[in-house]
Amino acid sequence: MAAGVATWLPFARAAAVGWLPLAKKTMPKPPIDNSSKSDEILYVNVSGVRFQTWKNTLDRYPETLLGSSEKEFFYNEDTQEYFFDRDPEMFRHILNFYRTGKLHYPRNECIQAFDEELAFYGIVPEIIGDCCMEEYRDRKKENQERLAEDTEANEGMDAPLPPNSTSRERLWRAFENPHTSTMALVFYYVTGFFIAVSVIANVVETVPCRPHKGSAKELPCGEKYHLAFFCMDTACVLIFTFEYLMRLFAAPSRCKFMRSVMSVIDVVAIMPYYIGLVMPENEDVSGAFVTLRVFRVFRIFKFSRHSQGLRILGYTLKSCASELGFLLFSLTMAIIIFATVMFYAEKGTKGSTFTSIPASFWYTIVTMTTLGYGDMVPNTIAGKIFGSICSLSGVLVIALPVPVIVSNFSRIYHQNQRADKMRAQQKVRMARIRMAKKGTANAFLQYKEDRNIGDPDGDNSALCVKNRSAFEHQHNHLLHCLEKTTNHEFTNEMNYSELCMTESVGYRTSRSTSLSSHQGAQNNSTGCCPRRARRRAAMRLANSTVSVSRGSVQELDTLHLKTTSIPPQTRSSLNAQMCDMKLNCGDQDFTAAIISIPTPPANSPDESLPPSPAPILGILRNTRATAYTQDSVKISSL
Amino acid sequence: MGLDGMEVIAIAVVIGLFVVVLKQFGVWEPLSLEDSCEGDLELSMVRHQPEGLDQLQAQTQFTRKELQSLYRGFKNECPSGLVDEETFKSIYSQFFPQGDATTYAHFLFNAFDMDRSGSIRFEDFVIGLSVLLRGSVTEKLRWAFNLYDINKDGYVTKEEMMAIMTSIYDMMGRYTLPSVRDDSPYEHVERFFQKMDRNRDGVVTIDEFIETCQKDENIMASMQLFENVI
C-alpha cells in the first residue's frame, strides 16, 4: 500500500462508525496502541549531515529500516540522534521517498552504489517512480551486461585446457582460438592467404587479356591461361576441403556444426569445383555450370572467421532485423503507391517508357533512392509533380530507420571493443592480485618469525611488535589458529616447490640423526613425502630457531634463506613446537616464508636465545621469493 | 490545353501541401495562436487554504497538536487542499482490496462533503473526524443517519437503505464464508427496518433511529470503539 494510505487509515476507521447501527454481530475490540500519540521530530545524522523529520513520516513504511524498530540499533544516546555512517547524498533521496512516497533515481550516481544504499535501508527498487524507472532499468541492464561480459572474459576462451583433453578437443580449440598455439596461427594465416588468392583469381580470370598470336578475338585471361587458373583453383579447393573436414572431425557436436552459417558458406564455396569436375563438358549444362561459378565468390565470406568487424556487421544486421523489416515494408508501400500514380499520370503520352505498373517500379526505386539514372523520365506536368514528391519522400522514408541501425551497430561494436580491452587488462590485473595476496601471506609468516623470536624471552616482544595494526595482529592470530587446528603450517611457494623437487643429498643424512629424537613423537608418515616432510621439518626447525645471524647476514633483495644447524637436544622449548608438525606437500595454500641466510653458520648452534634481534629484524623483510639453493647446501654440510 | 484528370489531382495535391506548410508557419491562422495560450492557464491548480488553526480548534474537539498532525498528513496527500471524489474513491478502495468499495465510498464522500461542493476540504475532513471520534453518542448516531440518508431529506427509505447495504456487501467481494447470497442485503435491510421503523410507515426518521439505537445495548457499547483511533 502506498504511503498516503497509511495517513488515511484513521479516517477509514473512524468512518466505520457508520456500520455500527447495521452490525449483525458485536464489533471486535480495537488493538491497543501504546505508542506515544504525539508526533515528534527525529534527528538523523548521516555522516555529519543532520536530517530532521517527523516520526510519522518514517513510520509510513514499517517494512524498511527507518520505519521499523531496526533503527534503534543506530540510536546514539549521547547525542539523542540516529547515526548512520553512509553517504549523505544518497540519504537525501531515501528520505524524500518517505516524504513524498516516490523514490527517484539520481542520474549522476553509480547504479551499484544506489542499489547498495537501497538494500541497506530495506527499500525495494521496484517502487522507483515511473519518472525514473526507465533510466534505472536501462542503467541496471547495462551494468549487468558489462559484468556478465567480464566474467565471461575471465573464464573465457583463454583459459588453459584441462590437461587430459583429447586431441579432438585440442584441435577444435586450435580452430576456434588461433592464438593459443603457433600451429593454429600458422594454419589460420595460410587459410586466409588462400582465400585471398582464390578470390583474386576469380576476379582476374575475367579480365580480358591480349589474344593469342594470330587470333583477333580478345580472350579473358581465364581462358587464355586455362591450365594455370585451374591449378590454382584446385589447390585452393584442396586446402578448403581439408580445413572443412578437419573442422567437421574436431567439432564437439557435428550436427550443430553442419547447420552453422560458417560451415554452410564453406560447403557452398567448394561445391562448384566438385560439381564442375563431375559434370561433362557439353553445351546444355554449361550454362548451369557457369551459374555455379558465381557461388565461388562466396569464398570471400570465409574471411569473416578472420575478421571480427565482419562478424560484428553480420550480427548487427541480424539484431536490427525488425528495423530493416520496417524499412523494407514502408519502402514497398511507397513504391507501389508512386508507381501506380506515375503509370496513370504518364499513360497518355506517346512513347512513354512507363509501359506498366511493374515497369514503373524501376522508376520509383531509382527516384526514391535519389539515383536518377534517367532512363525513365516523366514528361507530363502531373508526372513531374508526382515524381518530385516521390523523390522527396524517398529521402525521408530511407532516413528514418537508419539511425536505429547505426546505434545498434555502435553499441555492439563498443561492447566488442570493451571485451577485447578487458581481456588484455585481465592478465595485468591477475598479476597484481597475486602480488597483493603474496604480500598478506608474507605478513603472516613475518609475524610468526617475530613471535617465535619473541617467545622464549619476553623482552623481545616489544621489538617484535613493529608497525602492525590491531587488525593484522588478529588476522595473524587467526591464521595461526588455523595452523594449529589442521596441524599444518603455511609456507612459501618457492620453498615448498624447492623442497619437493630438489634432492639435496647431504641434507637428509645430516638431518636424520638430529631429527630422529624430535620426530619420535611425530607421526609424519602420512605425509605425501615423508622424506620431504622431514626435510621440511628441518627447515621449520631452522626457521623457528633464533640462533641465527651471529655474523653478518647476507641480505638479498629476494628471499633470504635462514637455516641453521640444530643441536636438537638442547632445544627443549622447540620440541613442543615441532612435535605436532606434519606437512603435506599437496597443500596448495602456500605463503611466502621469510628466511634469511647467515653467511657464517658456524657460530649458530651454540647460541641460545636471545640473540641480537636487530639483524634479524633487518633480515626479515617481505620480499618476493626466490630461493638460494646453494647456501642451503653449504649449511647442510655442517 | 484541357486539363487531364491526373493534372487536376496533381494540382490539388500541390495546393494541399502548400496549405499545410503555411499552417506550420502559423501564417494561415494568426488568431488561433493567442487562443491556445489562454487555454493552458485553466489547468493550473485550484488551491484551498483551510481556516485558521484557532477556528478549527473551536469547531472541533481536537487539540492543537492533533490538528497540526492531521493537517500535515492531509496536505502531504493533497497538496491542493482539496480531495475530489475520484481520489477519495481510489484511497478508500485500497483498504478493501477484495471487494468494490467505490459505491460505498461515494456515499461516504457525500456524508463528509457537507456543503455539497464536490470536494472535501480540510475543514470537512476534520469536523467529520471530530464528530466520529470525539463526539457524543447522539452526534455519532446523527452522523450515521446522515450517511444512510442519501438525498438528505431526513427520511431513510428502504431503497436508500438497500443501496447502502448493497454497497457494504459489495465491499466484501466474492470470496467470503459463507458466500454472500443475492438476497443477503435485502434480508439485512428487512431486519433493520423491522428494528428501527416503529410506526411501520416504511421510512425511518432520525428520532426513530436515535431512539432505537439508544435502547440497543450492543450498539451503545460499540460506539466507544473508535475513540482512540487518533
Side-chain angles (χ1 to χ4, degrees):
Chain A
M1 293 214 281
V5 177
T7 320
W8 290 92
L9 183 62
F11 172 77
R13 293 181 70 201
V17 166
W19 301 337
L20 296 180
L22 309 173
K24 283 187 182 172
K25 296 233 170 82
T26 47
M27 295 288 187
K29 281 211 166 39
I32 302 167
D33 195 2
N34 283 335
S35 63
S36 69
K37 286 300 173 186
S38 65
D39 209 1
E40 49 173 356
I41 292 187
L42 296 179
Y43 298 94
V44 180
N45 188 341
V46 183
S47 304
V49 181
R50 272 185 113 218
F51 295 89
Q52 297 171 8
T53 181
W54 291 106
K55 189 164 176 301
N56 274 355
T57 311
L58 294 181
D59 287 343
R60 285 198 194 133
Y61 295 98
E63 70 275 1
T64 60
L65 185 152
L66 290 169
S68 63
S69 57
E70 197 182 338
K71 61 179 184 281
E72 301 303 324
F73 286 103
F74 298 93
Y75 189 71
N76 185 352
E77 262 91 19
D78 306 327
T79 52
Q80 300 272 304
E81 61 188 11
Y82 295 90
F83 183 75
F84 293 98
D85 201 7
R86 314 281 301 189
D87 189 0
E89 299 293 317
M90 296 284 202
F91 189 75
R92 198 170 60 81
H93 298 284
I94 306 278
L95 200 50
N96 274 340
F97 164 64
Y98 284 92
R99 292 181 181 137
T100 63
K102 291 199 211 69
L103 181 62
H104 294 280
Y105 167 60
R107 272 144 221 246
N108 58 335
E109 299 285 354
C110 170
I111 184 81
Q112 261 190 312
F114 187 68
D115 268 345
E116 278 165 20
E117 291 295 312
L118 285 186
F120 178 81
Y121 290 107
I123 296 174
V124 187
E126 273 69 35
I127 47 179
I128 290 182
D130 287 335
C131 44
C132 299
M133 191 44 142
E134 203 181 305
E135 168 92 14
Y136 174 79
R137 280 242 163 89
D138 286 346
R139 288 277 291 265
K140 190 143 189 194
K141 201 161 61 158
E142 196 186 305
N143 201 37
Q144 271 173 352
E145 269 177 15
R146 192 177 297 146
L147 287 180
E149 274 170 22
D150 288 355
T151 47
E152 235 179 66
N154 281 352
E155 44 189 68
M157 321 221 266
D158 290 352
L161 268 179
N164 50 356
S165 58
T166 65
S167 65
R168 189 172 149 186
E169 283 174 10
R170 261 196 294 248
L171 196 60
W172 179 248
R173 223 158 175 264
F175 275 126
E176 292 298 304
N177 299 335
H179 46 269
T180 45
S181 80
T182 28
M183 266 305 291
L185 210 56
V186 163
F187 187 71
Y188 175 79
Y189 283 127
V190 160
T191 44
F193 173 71
F194 272 100
I195 293 173
V197 160
S198 161
V199 169
I200 291 173
N202 282 345
V203 166
V204 166
E205 75 180 5
T206 60
V207 171
C209 284
R210 268 191 308 226
H212 288 296
K213 292 196 201 29
S215 165
K217 200 170 73 154
E218 229 182 37
L219 280 176
C221 282
E223 288 180 28
K224 187 169 174 198
Y225 300 105
H226 180 75
L227 196 59
F229 279 105
F230 181 73
C231 291
M232 216 180 317
D233 205 22
T234 311
C236 294
V237 167
L238 278 177
I239 302 260
F240 297 152
T241 316
F242 172 71
E243 184 204 350
Y244 180 70
L245 289 174
M246 281 286 109
R247 274 184 203 262
L248 192 61
F249 166 68
S253 155
R254 299 229 167 93
C255 292
K256 200 170 97 154
F257 174 72
M258 290 189 72
R259 278 202 304 252
S260 74
V261 174
M262 290 309 302
S263 93
V264 165
I265 290 176
D266 286 340
V267 169
V268 166
I270 60 180
M271 272 332 241
Y273 178 79
Y274 290 111
I275 293 179
L277 278 184
V278 167
M279 270 201 319
E281 283 277 359
N282 61 355
E283 288 301 315
D284 295 336
V285 290
S286 69
F289 177 60
V290 165
T291 316
L292 270 178
R293 279 174 150 214
V294 169
F295 284 99
R296 286 192 305 177
V297 83
F298 274 77
R299 286 176 196 168
I300 208 170
F301 282 116
K302 287 166 69 75
F303 263 132
S304 67
R305 273 214 187 92
H306 297 249
S307 155
Q308 204 180 27
L310 267 182
R311 275 204 300 270
I312 293 177
L313 188 61
Y315 184 67
T316 309
L317 288 176
K318 203 163 59 162
S319 71
C320 299
S322 71
E323 278 82 30
L324 287 173
F326 166 71
L327 176 62
L328 273 177
F329 176 67
S330 56
L331 268 179
T332 313
M333 256 178 32
I335 287 171
I336 293 176
I337 290 173
F338 280 108
T340 314
V341 168
M342 289 308 292
F343 173 70
Y344 283 114
E346 290 285 308
K347 197 155 184 227
T349 53
K350 255 202 316 236
S352 153
T353 43
F354 294 82
T355 51
S356 66
I357 294 185
S360 314
F361 280 170
W362 173 244
Y363 168 77
T364 318
I365 291 173
V366 166
T367 312
M368 282 186 91
T369 53
T370 69
L371 273 175
Y373 287 134
D375 55 349
M376 287 166 81
V377 172
N379 286 316
T380 60
I381 296 178
K384 285 183 181 160
I385 290 174
F386 288 119
S388 43
I389 296 176
C390 170
S391 88
L392 286 175
S393 66
V395 170
L396 287 174
V397 166
I398 290 180
L400 284 176
V402 167
V404 179
I405 297 174
V406 165
S407 78
N408 257 357
F409 180 79
S410 161
R411 183 173 58 88
I412 293 171
Y413 182 72
H414 281 298
Q415 267 178 10
N416 243 299
Q417 296 283 71
R418 210 172 42 221
D420 285 344
K421 249 194 293 184
M422 275 286 139
R423 247 174 296 202
Q425 292 169 352
Q426 200 56 20
K427 297 199 175 87
V428 180
R429 254 175 40 190
M430 293 310 291
R432 232 179 271 149
I433 289 173
R434 263 195 297 263
M435 283 277 294
K437 271 204 187 136
K438 259 205 200 131
T440 46
N442 287 349
F444 176 59
L445 286 151
Q446 165 114 16
Y447 163 80
K448 280 186 27 159
E449 296 308 324
D450 293 351
R451 197 182 49 78
N452 289 329
I453 292 169
D455 255 348
D457 194 328
D459 287 347
N460 293 325
S461 58
L463 289 161
C464 288
V465 167
K466 291 203 352 178
N467 286 332
R468 283 201 199 91
S469 64
F471 173 80
E472 278 189 44
H473 275 291
Q474 289 160 9
H475 186 220
N476 293 334
H477 177 253
L478 181 68
L479 290 173
H480 195 64
C481 291
L482 181 61
E483 278 189 340
K484 293 293 177 218
T485 310
T486 57
N487 222 0
H488 289 57
E489 290 217 358
F490 290 115
T491 178
N492 172 27
E493 181 177 349
M494 282 297 152
N495 224 8
Y496 174 79
S497 54
E498 174 200 298
L499 285 173
C500 276
M501 310 302 182
T502 63
E503 299 273 340
S504 187
V505 179
Y507 207 28
R508 212 185 329 149
T509 52
S510 68
R511 290 281 171 242
S512 52
T513 49
S514 61
L515 291 174
S516 56
S517 59
H518 285 272
Q519 294 178 356
Q522 292 188 39
N523 46 346
N524 58 352
S525 53
T526 59
C528 67
C529 31
R531 279 195 325 241
R532 296 175 197 158
R534 224 174 290 137
R535 213 184 314 145
R536 189 77 196 94
M539 290 295 286
R540 299 303 308 159
L541 242 111
N543 286 341
S544 53
T545 56
V546 188
S547 63
V548 81
S549 71
R550 189 36 48 195
S552 66
V553 177
Q554 206 174 30
E555 289 207 6
L556 315 160
D557 62 343
T558 56
L559 255 198
H560 303 332
L561 202 63
K562 174 178 93 175
T563 56
T564 60
S565 63
I566 307 157
Q569 275 76 13
T570 61
R571 309 248 169 239
S572 54
S573 62
L574 298 169
N575 284 351
Q577 263 176 325
M578 300 304 298
C579 246
D580 50 356
M581 270 220 279
K582 183 172 48 170
L583 289 166
N584 188 355
C585 286
D587 186 5
Q588 295 290 320
D589 211 356
F590 298 139
T591 56
I594 311 298
I595 5 187
S596 59
I597 304 176
T599 35
N603 294 331
S604 35
D606 299 322
E607 290 300 328
S608 58
L609 311 167
S612 60
I616 299 172
L617 294 179
I619 297 159
L620 300 179
R621 272 197 328 225
N622 292 342
T623 51
R624 270 181 337 165
T626 55
Y628 266 68
T629 59
Q630 208 152 27
D631 286 326
S632 70
V633 172
K634 189 161 54 162
I635 291 167
S636 70
S637 61
L638 284 172
Chain B
M1 51 174 197
L3 282 177
D4 262 329
M6 286 307 289
E7 307 261 345
V8 171
I9 295 175
I11 292 171
V13 165
V14 167
I15 293 174
L17 286 174
F18 191 60
V19 165
V20 165
V21 166
L22 280 184
K23 252 208 196 139
Q24 278 301 316
F25 280 106
V27 176
W28 188 252
E29 291 173 29
L31 299 171
S32 60
L33 269 177
E34 285 145 37
D35 288 343
S36 60
C37 276
E38 282 166 1
D40 292 337
L41 290 174
E42 284 172 24
L43 297 175
S44 64
M45 301 272 266
V46 179
R47 274 193 69 238
H48 170 77
Q49 278 177 331
E51 298 169 16
L53 202 49
D54 301 317
Q55 282 162 296
L56 280 177
Q57 219 180 339
Q59 285 175 333
T60 66
Q61 315 270 353
F62 290 121
T63 66
R64 214 175 165 83
K65 273 207 165 183
E66 286 169 340
L67 281 172
Q68 284 176 335
S69 178
L70 279 170
Y71 188 67
R72 275 203 303 274
F74 184 82
K75 180 86 176 170
N76 209 29
E77 293 312 307
C78 318
S80 61
L82 297 168
V83 185
D84 64 341
E85 189 164 340
E86 287 311 309
T87 321
F88 185 83
K89 278 185 182 168
S90 66
I91 291 171
Y92 201 75
S93 302
Q94 295 195 35
F95 292 109
F96 305 98
Q98 292 111 324
D100 175 25
T102 46
T103 330
Y104 186 72
H106 168 75
F107 297 133
L108 206 54
F109 185 85
N110 286 336
F112 270 94
D113 186 16
M114 292 175 304
D115 54 356
R116 301 302 210 118
S117 57
S119 56
I120 297 182
R121 303 165 302 153
F122 181 64
E123 295 91 330
D124 304 329
F125 178 72
V126 137
I127 289 170
L129 270 185
S130 166
V131 165
L132 287 170
L133 301 176
R134 306 282 162 92
S136 68
V137 172
T138 320
E139 285 175 347
K140 289 183 191 174
L141 289 171
R142 206 180 288 274
W143 188 90
F145 186 85
N146 190 40
L147 172 67
Y148 306 144
D149 186 10
I150 296 175
N151 55 2
K152 314 284 182 239
D153 61 355
Y155 301 102
V156 175
T157 62
K158 271 202 183 163
E159 290 79 17
E160 288 174 337
M161 207 56 225
M162 194 61 197
I164 300 269
M165 204 60 80
T166 319
S167 65
I168 292 179
Y169 275 91
D170 282 343
M171 279 200 288
M172 292 294 292
R174 281 194 304 149
Y175 304 109
T176 56
L177 267 180
S179 35
V180 173
R181 297 196 314 267
D182 284 340
D183 54 353
S184 304
Y186 182 72
E187 256 187 301
H188 204 151
V189 170
E190 285 298 312
R191 215 141 36 99
F192 177 76
F193 263 80
Q194 263 185 334
K195 211 165 57 165
M196 300 283 169
D197 192 6
R198 288 305 158 101
N199 54 4
R200 301 272 174 259
D201 57 353
V203 292
V204 178
T205 62
I206 180 105
D207 303 310
E208 284 176 339
F209 181 72
I210 291 178
E211 201 189 315
T212 318
C213 286
Q214 278 175 334
K215 292 211 185 91
D216 187 333
E217 286 153 8
N218 278 342
I219 297 177
M220 284 297 114
S222 54
M223 279 292 170
Q224 320 298 325
L225 215 56
F226 295 105
E227 298 228 305
N228 56 348
V229 162
I230 289 193

